[in-house]
Amino acid sequence: MTYRIPFNRPTTTPEIVSSLAEAVTSGILAGNGPATRSCESILEQVTGARKALLTNSCTGALEMAARLLGGEPGDEIIVPSFTFVSTANAFAGCGLRPVFADCRRDTFNVDAATIAPLIGARTRAIVVMHYGGVACDMDAIGSLARRHGLMVIEDNAHGLFGACNGRQLGSFGSLATQSFHETKNVTSGEGGALLINDAGLIDRAEIIREKGTDRSRFFRGQVDKYTWVDYGSNYLCSELQAACLLAQLRCRDVIQGKRAAIWRRYDVALRDWAQANDVRLPIVPPGCDHPSHLYAVLLPDATARARLIQHLQARSILAVFHYVPLHLSPMGRRFGGSPGACPVAEDISERLLRLPLFTDLTADDQATVIESIRGFTV
Ligand SMILES: *Cc1c(COP(=O)(O)O)cnc(C)c1O
């Protein structure tokens, strides 16, 4: 079924088309070429990361993080239950056991209070996800991690261009990951990046991305041939993907400006409707500068959400929800998850609804969405 107003549509601009054409005619299509390196330097400039490595996906970047973390079978990581599957799966696939943390009621983020009781002798790292690009409380989480000697890894898939008290998201963890999937603010269709803030991890990260070889050093002229030096895989993205992304990274201020305007319009236009219908709009704590990645409203119960989805569907508007709490998924249960373990995640996952938000959503279409929602009574 196609909708008059879809939930998401990737942006299309003449700049993207010409950047792709340039890549096609350049004769360099494989990874780690000029477009890849241009994207990486913009990401380093934007986030302040010591090193950015473009990858085939955020899932791939999370797997690289898991490989860099290492550890023994039976070692644990603490991950949010309320997140995308890759946040946990990438580590589980490398033999680490995910321990699921519940989230806060206001931001839907994990915090030091939900993480602290889960830290044990086998814990190796804390993985956080900044929901909607609204920062987790990184001061408290960072000091908790330091006290216990744990690595912090940010799944920053929602948070590119976001900041907290002036500091960019993606710069807090030893490692952070980005996604350029077509649902994200800037996209290469499929794609991602690993941000490295701990300089000691850069060399191994390059090797892991290049099939376990020192090919990156060879390209820089630092060794006269390249060879197999460690475990790795192929986490590169092609120059075609990088070219698509590069055109958007160069126009990031325009993209972010449009998204911020759409986000604010929802927030203003839905306020009295929300109040009258016991619906909660997003809560953004002071100091959090979020990148308008998504707009999600919290309905009073699951029935109201299902009715609102139907109401919008009848007007050819697609609104969707996420996430199924990971601790209740079949895989999560294999790692000991059970009902009641993360009560907040269980509750909100039944009531949260995301509204259409994409860079090219027109003011007219958004007005239709708003009018339709305002015409709905919980
Ligand atoms: C989109 C997303 C991912 C996965 O990104 P891919 O690039 O599709 O692998 C991971 N984590 C979060 C929080 C996401 O939103």
Side-chain angles (χ1 to χ4, degrees), residues 23 26-41 44 51-56 64 192 194 202-203 205-222 226 233-243 245-246:
S26 75
I28 304 170
L29 301 181
N32 211 357
T36 295
R37 285 192 292 274
S38 297
C39 289
E40 290 172 348
S41 85
E44 285 160 13
K51 182 84 192 158
L53 296 178
L54 232 54
T55 61
N56 53 356
M64 288 179 68
L194 180 67
I202 295 173
D203 280 355
E206 286 185 334
I207 289 164
I208 289 169
R209 186 177 65 159
E210 279 279 15
K211 310 105 191 159
T213 74
D214 55 355
R215 194 153 176 248
S216 299
R217 262 179 254 163
F218 170 71
F219 278 143
R220 286 195 296 267
Q222 294 164 327
Y226 74 87
S233 187
N234 185 352
Y235 294 109
L236 292 165
C237 80
S238 120
E239 280 287 284
L240 291 175
Q241 291 162 298
L245 180 65
L246 181 57

Side-chain angles (χ1 to χ4, degrees), residues 131-144:
Y131 183 77
V134 172
C136 297
D137 182 356
M138 294 312 288
D139 286 345
I141 292 172
S143 59
L144 180 68

Side-chain angles (χ1 to χ4, degrees), residues 9-61:
R9 189 191 299 130
T11 184
T12 47
T13 63
E15 288 82 4
I16 296 172
V17 176
S18 61
S19 182
L20 276 166
E22 207 179 301
V24 170
T25 50
S26 75
I28 304 170
L29 301 181
N32 211 357
T36 295
R37 285 192 292 274
S38 297
C39 289
E40 290 172 348
S41 85
I42 293 174
L43 290 172
E44 285 160 13
Q45 192 191 314
V46 165
T47 63
R50 293 292 295 271
K51 182 84 192 158
L53 296 178
L54 232 54
T55 61
N56 53 356
S57 64
C58 183
T59 304

Side-chain angles (χ1 to χ4, degrees), residues 1 25 27 56 66 92 97 104 137 166 191 193 220 242 258 296 311 319 330 345 359:
M1 174 161 178
T25 50
N56 53 356
R97 178 190 171 83
R104 298 167 59 102
D137 182 356
R220 286 195 296 267
K258 286 182 180 173
H311 174 86
T359 307

Side-chain angles (χ1 to χ4, degrees), residues 65-78:
R67 286 174 187 261
L68 286 165
L69 178 63
E72 307 291 322
D75 281 355
E76 298 173 352
I77 48 143
I78 296 171

